[in-house]
C-alpha cells in the first residue's frame, strides 16, 4: 500500500467527481424527449427517421405497464436473435477461424447473459465466437442492454419527480435517444482513443507465433468424431502433445471494448478479458477503462438529483455509493497487499503481496481497484484472476454483488436498485420519527414497501437458492463419498463453495465477472445460470417499474419540519446502514462458510 | 363507570391472558402473523426432533432449544392477549351500562313494553324519569336531565332537549327528571356503545397502513431467512458438514424479526387502549395512526384555546378620574350583572382595590337597569346617580360624545384583541374596562412543541380579524381563521388536504359534521349531536376540545414505538449473528479441516450449544 498507489486512488476519485456533473447534465438532455444536444445536427434526422420507420409517435408516453411490456418484448426478441446467430455462426460470414456452432445450452446461456447486461461467459471468446457473433450478436446487446438499463432508471426517476400522473415516458424514444446521443458517440471517440493506446481493430485470422521454449503437455485423446476416449474405468485417456507455437487472437477489439466498459457489460473479446494485452494495452487504457465503468452510473446520480429538484439528495446517494466503494477498495487492497502467509513462509517476499493470478503489468493495487470497480458497477470485466485473490480480498467482489450492484452499479440498474434501498431507508426512518414515511413529497405506502421487498427477496432467493441447489447436487458438487470432482468445480472445501456462490451471485446481480475455477460450460450450469441472470434482471425490473408507476400516481405532500431529510451525512449513513442491514447481511451466513472460513484456515496453513 | 387504567399485573387480566396465549397457538390464527408462524413451525420441528433425535445432538441441548422456541411463541401470544385483555376489561366496564333495559315503544298511538333488543331504527319510545334510555337516538319531544356517567365518567347530569345541538342521547344512560320522546337511530348491536365495545376489544381491529407495510417488510425478511437457512444446509453438505436441523431452526428464529413480529399487534391494540384511558374512543386503529401523521390542527378558539368567557383584566380611568373611582363605579354598574363578564368585573375590583362587593338588597334605594337590546347598556341607579357600562358606541350615543383619551383607549384595546367596556355616569365618562379572552395556560409551549415536529396549528373563531389576530399571537398558534362560518371550516380542510396535508379537528354541533367527516382525524365531543359523533372518527367522552393535542401525541408515540421496536430488533439480532455465527461454522468444519485447524480461540469460544441458547 505505497504512496503512488494512494495517489492513483486519489486521482481516480477526483476524476470521477469531475465527470459526474457533466455526465449528469448531458443525461438530463438525452433523457428529455425535447432535450437539445450539440449532436442534434448529426443525430436528429436519424432519430426522426428511426421513429418514422418504427412508427413511433414520440409524443405519446407509456404508463408503467406499457413501458414494461415494450421493454420485455424488445429484450425477448433480442435474446432470440442472439441465440439464432450463435447457433448458425458456422455458416455465417466473418468467421476466419471457422468456429463451430455454439452448443444449445451455451447459446442459451450467452444470449441470456448479454440480454441481461450480465455478460457472464461460459466460453473463451477467441476460441468460440466468430467475428460476426462478437460484433452483431453480442455487441448489439452491449448497447441495447445498457440503453434499457438507463431507460428504466430514467423511468424510476420520473416516477419520483412526477406526481398525479400515470405516464412515465416512451420506451422507444428513451431507447433511441440513449443509443444515438449517449452511447454511440462516446463509444466512437472512446474506441479511437483505445486504438491510440495499441488496442487492435481488424478482421484478420489469428497470428501464430513460435514460442521460445517449446514444451510437452497431456491432453485428452479424442476419436474421429471429436468425442473424448475413455478407458475401462471411465477415466479419459491422455496423450502427449508437443507445443511449439502460440495462437495470437486478432479481431475488432477496440469497438467492442469501448461499449463493454461504458455500458458496464464486461464481456471480454478474449477469454483473459482486460488482462489480455490487446484488450488492455497500457496503464492509461487501464485507467480509462476503470473510469468509464463508473462514468454513466455516477452521472445518473446527478441526473437523479437534478430531476427530483433536490441536488443534495443526488449527492447524498452518490456519497453512500462512493463510501461503500472506498471501503471495498481498501479492504481488498489491504488483503491482497498482505499476501498469503503460507507462501511467505516458503520464501516469497511479503512486499510483493499476493501476485498469484495477477497481471504483472498491473500489480496488486490496480488489480484490487479494478476488481472492486468491476463488481461494484455490475461490469464484470476483469484484469486479474479473482479466484486467486486471498480469501478476504476475494470476498470483496462477492460482497459487492451481494449488495445488489448498487455501488454506482450497472448503467441504470445501479440507480434504480439504489432507489429501492432509499425507499426502505426512508420507510424505516419515518417509523422511527413517528410519521407515515414520506419520500420527496410522496407517502410510502404498503404497495411501495411490497415492491421494494420483492426486489430484495428476488436477489436473496436467486443467489442462495441456486447455489444451495448446486451444492446439493451431483452436477454442482464433488462426490460426497469419494470427494472426486464431478462436472462442477475444480476445488473443494470453502474455496470450491465460494466458486459456486460467486457464479450465482455474479449471474443474479447481472455482474458477469467470473471467480473462475468452476467449469461452468455444462448443461446444468449454463441453464441454471441463465435463469439466475434472467430472474436477476427482469424479476427485479418489473416490481421496480410497478414502484415507479405507484410513485408517479401519488399526490405531492408538502415538506414539513417532520419530514425526514434525504440529504446530508445523516441520510447517507442511514442509507448505508439500511443497505448493510436489510440487504448485505442476508448473505453473511453464506460468506462465513466460504471466504471467511477459508481466511482462518489460510492462517493455519490449509490452502484450497 | 369511567374507563380507567388497569395495573399491569391485574390478575383478572393476566390469568385469562395466559390461557389465551395457549389458545392462540392454533396455527390458523397464528398464520396471520408470518413471523410467529414460522417460529411455531420451528418449535414443532424441534419438538419432533427432541423425540426422534437429531444427529446425535445432546438431549439437553435439544430440550433447551425447544423450550426457548415455544417460550418465544407463547410470549408473543401473551403480549397480544394482555393487550386484548386490557381492552376487554375496558369494554366490560362499558358493557355494564348495557344491562337489559325495557322500553315503552309508541306504536299506532299506543304504548307497548318491549326489550331494548327488539327496538329497530326509527322506532319512537318514551322514557320517563328513573328509566334507562334503551338505545341511541334523538330527542324529538321534551327535555330532560340525563345521567351519562356510564359513558363519560362525569357524575354531574347533563341536559338533553329536542332540537339544536343537544338532542342526541346514548343507549344505557339514565333519565333523571322529566319525560322525553326519543326516535331510535340505530338497530341493536350497532349502537354507538356496541361499536365502541367491539373496537376496544380488538375483535374488529383493522391493520393500519403502516402496520401492513411493516408486516410486508418483516414477512419478506422472514422468507429471505428461510432460504438462507435452507441454502446453509446445502452449503454445509458440500463441505461434508451436516448441520443439525435444531441448530438451523435456532439460527432461523434468531435471524427473523421475532421481537417486532410478536409485538406488532399488541402495539396496535395498546394505541387504542391508551386513548381509552384518556377517555377517548377511536373508531379504528387507522384513526389513531392518522393522528400521528397530522400536519394541521384546527382548533376552535372558545373552549380549546381560551377559557369560555372574557374577563376583566384592567381599569383604565378617563382624565381627572382615579382608578379607584372608576373601579367603584364599575363595581356598582355590575353588581346586578350575573353574566360571567359582569362577575369578573366585581372580582377584579375586589382583588385590585379591596372593594367589597355589596349585595343589592343592602341598598334598597338602588334600582337595577338591565341590559336591553335598545340601550345596549346595563347599570344601577343609586342616590340619583346613573351608573352605566356598555360598548363604546352605546355610551357615546347616551352621552353625546366621549373624551378623546377614552376613545383612544377604546381603540387601543380593540386592536389588541380585547373588548372595551366604557363606564359612565350621566355627567361624564369615567373610563374603560379592559375585557380579555383568557388563553389557557401552557398552550403556547405545547404549540411550540408541535411546531418543532412539523405540525401547524390554526385557530378558528367567529371573532373579527383584529381580535382573532391578537389572541392568535398570544396563544402562539401559527395561523387563524376569523369570522369563520361552518362552510369556511370545510373549505379550509379541503384546501389543506388538497395540498397533501392531514388535518385534525374537534367539533360538536351538527353543523360541524361535514367538516368532521372531511377531516382525517375528527374528534367529536360526547356532548355533541349524534350527527357529529357519526361523522367523526373519535369521540371524546370528556368533551374537552383541548384533548385533541393529547390524541395527536398518542398517535405519534404509537408510530414511534413501532419504528423503534423494529429498529432495535434488527440491530440486536444482526449483531448476534456477527458475534456467534463464525464460531458455529468453525466447529462444524469437516474432521480433516478441524484436525489442522489451529485457531483455538474460535473453536474454544464457540460452545455452540451455549451460544445458540443465548440467541433463542
Amino acid at each position: 500500500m505505497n504512496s503512488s498507489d494512494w495517489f492513483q486512488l486519489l486521482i481516480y476519485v477526483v476524476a470521477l467527481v469531475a465527470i459526474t456533473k457533466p455526465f449528469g447534465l448531458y443525461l438530463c438532455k438525452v433523457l428529455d424527449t425535447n432535450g437539445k444536444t450539440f449532436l442534434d445536427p448529426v443525430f436528429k434526422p436519424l432519430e426522426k427517421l428511426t421513429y418514422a420507420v418504427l412508427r413511433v409517435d414520440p409524443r405519446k408516453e407509456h404508463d408503467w405497464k406499457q413501458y414494461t411490456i415494450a421493454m420485455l418484448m424488445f429484450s425477448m426478441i433480442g435474446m432470440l436473435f442472439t441465440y439464432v446467430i450463435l447457433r448458425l455462426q458456422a455458416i455465417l460470414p466473418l468467421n476466419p477461424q471457422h468456429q463451430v456452432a455454439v452448443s444449445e445450452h451455451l447459446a442459451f446461456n450467452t444470449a441470456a447473459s448479454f440480454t441481461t447486461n450480465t455478460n457472464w461467459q461460459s466460453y473463451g471468446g477467441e476460441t468460440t465466437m466468430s467475428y460476426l457473433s462478437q460484433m452483431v450478436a453480442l455487441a448489439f446487446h452491449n448497447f441495447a442492454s445498457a440503453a434499457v438499463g438507463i431507460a428504466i432508471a430514467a423511468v424510476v426517476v420520473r416516477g419520483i419527480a412526477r406526481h398525479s400522473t400515470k405516464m412515465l415516458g416512451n420506451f422507444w424514444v428513451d431507447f433511441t435517444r440513449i443509443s444515438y446521443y449517449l452511447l454511440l458517440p462516446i463509444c466512437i471517440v472512446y474506441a479511437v482513443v483505445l486504438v491510440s493506446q495499441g488496442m487492435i481493430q481488424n478482421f484478420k485470422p489469428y497470428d501464430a507465433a513460435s514460442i521460445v521454449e517449446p514444451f510437452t503437455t497431456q491432453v485428452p485423446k479424442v476419436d474421429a468424431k471429436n468425442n473424448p476416449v475413455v478407458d475401462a474405468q471411465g477415466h479419459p485417456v491422455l496423450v502427449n502433445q508437443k507445443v511449439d507455437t502460440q495462437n495470437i487472437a486478432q479481431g475488432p477489439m477496440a469497438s467492442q471494448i469501448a461499449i463493454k466498459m461504458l455500458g458496464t457489460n464486461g464481456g471480454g473479446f478474449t477469454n483473459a478479458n482486460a488482462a489480455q494485452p490487446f484488450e488492455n494495452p497500457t496503464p492509461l487504457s487501464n485507467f480509462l477503462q476503470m473510469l468509464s465503468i463508473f462514468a454513466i452510473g455516477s452521472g445518473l446520480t446527478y441526473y437523479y438529483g437534478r430531476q427530483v429538484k433536490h441536488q443534495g439528495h443526488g449527492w447524498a446517494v452518490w456519497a453512500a455509493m462512493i463510501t461503500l466503494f472506498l471501503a471495498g477498495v481498501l479492504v481488498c487492497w489491504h488483503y491482497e497487499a498482505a499476501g498469503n502467509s503460507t507462501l511467505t513462509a516458503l520464501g516469497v517476499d511479503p512486499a510483493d503481496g499476493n501476485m498469484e493470478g495477477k497481471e504483472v503489468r498491473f500489480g496488486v493495487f490496480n488489480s484490487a481497484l479494478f476488481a472492486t470497480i468491476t463488481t461494484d458497477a455490475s461490469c464484470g470485466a476483469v484484469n486479474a484472476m479473482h479466484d486467486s485473490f486471498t480469501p478476504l480480498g476475494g470476498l470483496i467482489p462477492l460482497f459487492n454483488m451481494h449488495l445488489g450492484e448498487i455501488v454506482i452499479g450497472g448503467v441504470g440498474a445501479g440507480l434504480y436498485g439504489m432507489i429501492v434501498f432509499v425507499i426502505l431507508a426512508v420507510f424505516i426512518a419515518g417509523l422511527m420519527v413517528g410519521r407515515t414515511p414520506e419520500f420527496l413529497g410522496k407517502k410510502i405506502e404498503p404497495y411501495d414497501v411490497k415492491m421494494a421487498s420483492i426486489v430484495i427477496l428476488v436477489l436473496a432467493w436467486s443467489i442462495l437458492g441456486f447455489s444451495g441447489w448446486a451444492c446439493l447436487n451431483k452436477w454442482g458438487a464433488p462426490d460426497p463419498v469419494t470427494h472426486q470432482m464431478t462436472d462442477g468445480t475444480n476445488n473443494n472445501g470453502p474455496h470450491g463453495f465460494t466458486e459456486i456462490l460467486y457464479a450465482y451471485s455474479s449471474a443474479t446481480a447481472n455482474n458477469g465477472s467470473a471467480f473462475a475455477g468452476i467449469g461452468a460450460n455444462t448443461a446444468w450450469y449454463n441453464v441454471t445460470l441463465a435463469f439466475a441472470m434472467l430472474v436477476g434482471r427482469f424479476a427485479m425490473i418489473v416490481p421496480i417499474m410497478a414502484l415507479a408507476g405507484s410513485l408517479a400516481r401519488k399526490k405531492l405532500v408538502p415538506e414539513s419540519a417532520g419530514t425526514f431529510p434525504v440529504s446530508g451525512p445523516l441520510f447517507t449513513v442511514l442509507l448505508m446502514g439500511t443497505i448493510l442491514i436489510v440487504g448485505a447481511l442476508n448473505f453473511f451466513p453464506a460468506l462465513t462458510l466460504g471466504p471467511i472460513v477459508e481466511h482462518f484456515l489460510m492462517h493455519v496453513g490449509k490452502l484450497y | 363507570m369511567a374507563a380507567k387504567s388497569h395495573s399491569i399485573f391485574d390478575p383478572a387480566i393476566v390469568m385469562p391472558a395466559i390461557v389465551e396465549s395457549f389458545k392462540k397457538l392454533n396455527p390458523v390464527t397464528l398464520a396471520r402473523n408470518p413471523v410467529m408462524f414460522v417460529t411455531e413451525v420451528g418449535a414443532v420441528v424441534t419438538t419432533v426432533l427432541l423425540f426422534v433425535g437429531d444427529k446425535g445432538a445432546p438431549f439437553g441441548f435439544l430440550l433447551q432449544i425447544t423450550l426457548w422456541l415455544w417460550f418465544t411463541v407463547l410470549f408473543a401470544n401473551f403480549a397480544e392477549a394482555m393487550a386484548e385483555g386490557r381492552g376487554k376489561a375496558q369494554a366490560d366496564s362499558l358493557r355494564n351500562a348495557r344491562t337489559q333495559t325495557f322500553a315503552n315503544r309508541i306504536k299506532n298511538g299506543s304504548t307497548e313494553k318491549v326489550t331494548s333488543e327488539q327496538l329497530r331504527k326509527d322506532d319512537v319510545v318514551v322514557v320517563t324519569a328513573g328509566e334507562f334510555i334503551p338505545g341511541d337516538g334523538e330527542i324529538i319531544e321534551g327535555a330532560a336531565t340525563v345521567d351519562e356517567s356510564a359513558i363519560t365518567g362525569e357524575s354531574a347530569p347533563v341536559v338533553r332537549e329536542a332540537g339544536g345541538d343537544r338532542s342526541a342521547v346514548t343507549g344505557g344512560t339514565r333519565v333523571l327528571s322529566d319525560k322525553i320522546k326519543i326516535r331510535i337511530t340505530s338497530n341493536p348491536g350497532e349502537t354507538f356503545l356496541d361499536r365502541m365495545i367491539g373496537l376496544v376489544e380488538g375483535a374488529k381491529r383493522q391493520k393500519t397502513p403502516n402496520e401492513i407495510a411493516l408486516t410486508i417488510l418483516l414477512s419478506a425478511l422472514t422468507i429471505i431467512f428461510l432460504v438462507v437457512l435452507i441454502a446453509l444446509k446445502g452449503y454445509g453438505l458440500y463441505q461434508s458438514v451436516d448441520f443439525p436441523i435444531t441448530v438451523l431452526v435456532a439460527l432461523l428464529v434468531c435471524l427473523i424479526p421475532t421481537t417486532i413480529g410478536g409485538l406488532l399487534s399488541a402495539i396496535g391494540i395498546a394505541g387504542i387502549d391508551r386513548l381509552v384511558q384518556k377517555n377517548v374512543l377511536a373508531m379504528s386503529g387507522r384513526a389513531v395512526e392518522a393522528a400521528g401523521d397530522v400536519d394541521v390542527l384546527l382548533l376552535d378558539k372558545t373552549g380549546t384555546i381560551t377559557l369560555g368567557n372574557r374577563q376583566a383584566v384592567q381599569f383604565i380611568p378617563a382624565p381627572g378620574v382615579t382608578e379607584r373611582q372608576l373601579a367603584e363605579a364599575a363595581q356598582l354598574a355590575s353588581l346586578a350583572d350575573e353574566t360571567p363578564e359582569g362577575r369578573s368585573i366585581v372580582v377584579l375590583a375586589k382583588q385590585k382595590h379591596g372593594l367589597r362587593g355589596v349585595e343589592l338588597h343592602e341598598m334598597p334605594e338602588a334600582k337595577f337597569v338591565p341590559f336591553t337590546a335598545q340601550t345596549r347598556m346595563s347599570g344601577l341607579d343609586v342616590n340619583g346617580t346613573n351608573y352605566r357600562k356598555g360598548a363604546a358606541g352605546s355610551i357615546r350615543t347616551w352621552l353625546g360624545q366621549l373624551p378623546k383619551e377614552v376613545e383612544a383607549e377604546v381603540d387601543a384595546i380593540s386592536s389588541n384583541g380585547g373588548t372595551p367596556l366604557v363606564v359612565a355616569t350621566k355627567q361624564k365618562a369615567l373610563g374603560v374596562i379592559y375585557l380579555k379572552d383568557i388563553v389557557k395556560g401552557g398552550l403556547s409551549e405545547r404549540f411550540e412543541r408541535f411546531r418543532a415536529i412539523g405540525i401547524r396549528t390554526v385557530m378558528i373563531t367567529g371573532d373579527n380579524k383584529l381580535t382573532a389576530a391578537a389572541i392568535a399571537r398570544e396563544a402562539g398558534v401559527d395561523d387563524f381563521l376569523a369570522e369563520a362560518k361552518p362552510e369556511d371550516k370545510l373549505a379550509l380542510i379541503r384546501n389543506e388536504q388538497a395540498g397533501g396535508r392531514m388535518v385534525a379537528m374537534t367539533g360538536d354541533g351538527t353543523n360541524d359534521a361535514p367538516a368532521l367527516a372531511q377531516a382525517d382525524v375528527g374528534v367529536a365531543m360526547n356532548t355533541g349531536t349524534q350527527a357529529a359523533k357519526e361523522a367523526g372518527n373519535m369521540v371524546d367522552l370528556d368533551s374537552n376540545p383541548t384533548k385533541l393535542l393529547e390524541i395527536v401525541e398518542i398517535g405519534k408515540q404509537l408510530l414511534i414505538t413501532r419504528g423503534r421496536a423494529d429498529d432495535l430488533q434488527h440491530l440486536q439480532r444482526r449483531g448476534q449473528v456477527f458475534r456467534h455465527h463464525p464460531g458455529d461454522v468453525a466447529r462444524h468444519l469437516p474432521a480433516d479441516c478441524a484436525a489442522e485447524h489451529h485457531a483455538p480461540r474460535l473453536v474454544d469460544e464457540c460452545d455452540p450449544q451455549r451460544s445458540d441458547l443465548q440467541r433463542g
Side-chain angles (χ1 to χ4, degrees), chain B residues 103-345:
Chain B
N104 298 309
R105 182 165 64 182
I106 301 176
K107 210 168 191 185
N108 310 323
S110 62
T111 316
E112 56 177 347
K113 206 168 180 73
V114 295
T115 64
S116 59
E117 266 81 35
Q118 291 170 289
L119 289 177
R120 288 291 170 273
K121 204 172 162 189
D122 289 331
D123 282 351
V124 176
V125 296
V126 176
V127 187
T128 47
E131 288 180 347
F132 281 97
I133 295 175
D136 287 6
E138 196 109 24
I139 301 177
I140 52 174
E141 203 180 299
T145 48
V146 181
D147 171 15
E148 293 195 340
S149 61
I151 309 285
T152 62
E154 182 64 54
S155 54
V158 292
V159 175
R160 294 278 179 246
E161 59 192 349
D165 288 349
R166 296 171 158 266
S167 64
V169 289
T170 311
T173 55
R174 198 156 65 99
V175 174
L176 295 178
S177 69
D178 305 294
K179 178 170 156 182
I180 46 176
K181 259 190 201 169
I182 298 167
R183 188 163 48 76
I184 299 295
T185 50
S186 57
N187 291 324
E190 34 179 274
T191 63
F192 184 58
L193 209 56
D194 288 305
R195 269 180 293 142
M196 289 191 313
I197 292 170
L199 287 165
V200 173
E201 277 181 336
K204 281 203 236 160
R205 203 176 72 86
Q206 282 180 314
K207 283 188 172 176
T208 65
N210 279 332
E211 213 175 326
I212 294 168
L214 198 54
T215 309
I216 290 169
L217 186 63
L218 298 180
S219 307
L221 289 175
T222 306
I223 297 168
I224 287 174
F225 288 121
L226 274 176
V227 77
V228 168
L229 269 292
I230 294 167
L232 209 56
K233 181 82 181 172
Y235 299 164
L237 286 174
Y238 177 87
Q239 302 182 35
S240 311
V241 186
D242 199 353
F243 291 112
I245 305 266
T246 311
V247 170
L248 291 178
V249 170
L251 190 58
L252 173 67
V253 173
C254 117
L255 284 167
I256 61 176
T258 38
T259 310
I260 175 70
L263 296 181
L264 203 56
S265 56
I267 293 171
I269 296 171
I272 296 184
D273 186 50
R274 294 219 8 223
L275 279 181
V276 172
Q277 285 174 22
K278 298 263 180 205
N279 271 356
V280 176
L281 291 167
M283 301 297 185
S284 67
R286 201 178 279 259
V288 184
E289 197 169 85
D293 274 337
V294 157
D295 304 279
V296 181
L297 293 185
L298 300 192
L299 303 167
D300 277 323
K301 186 199 81 174
T302 309
T304 308
I305 291 175
T306 61
L307 297 171
N309 304 296
R310 282 171 281 219
Q311 294 187 353
V313 290
Q314 201 183 347
F315 296 116
I316 303 160
V321 183
T322 65
E323 195 176 329
R324 192 183 169 83
Q325 284 169 328
L326 171 63
E328 267 170 352
Q331 191 204 35
L332 284 172
S334 308
L335 269 185
D337 185 354
E338 287 302 321
T339 64
E341 287 86 357
R343 269 177 303 191
S344 79
I345 293 170

Side-chain angles (χ1 to χ4, degrees), chain B residues 486-505:
Chain B
E487 312 85 270
D488 298 339
K489 224 177 192 176
L490 188 60
L492 180 68
I493 294 174
R494 291 230 169 98
N495 208 7
E496 294 285 358
Q497 285 174 335
R501 283 172 284 264
M502 293 184 73
V503 184
M505 66 166 289

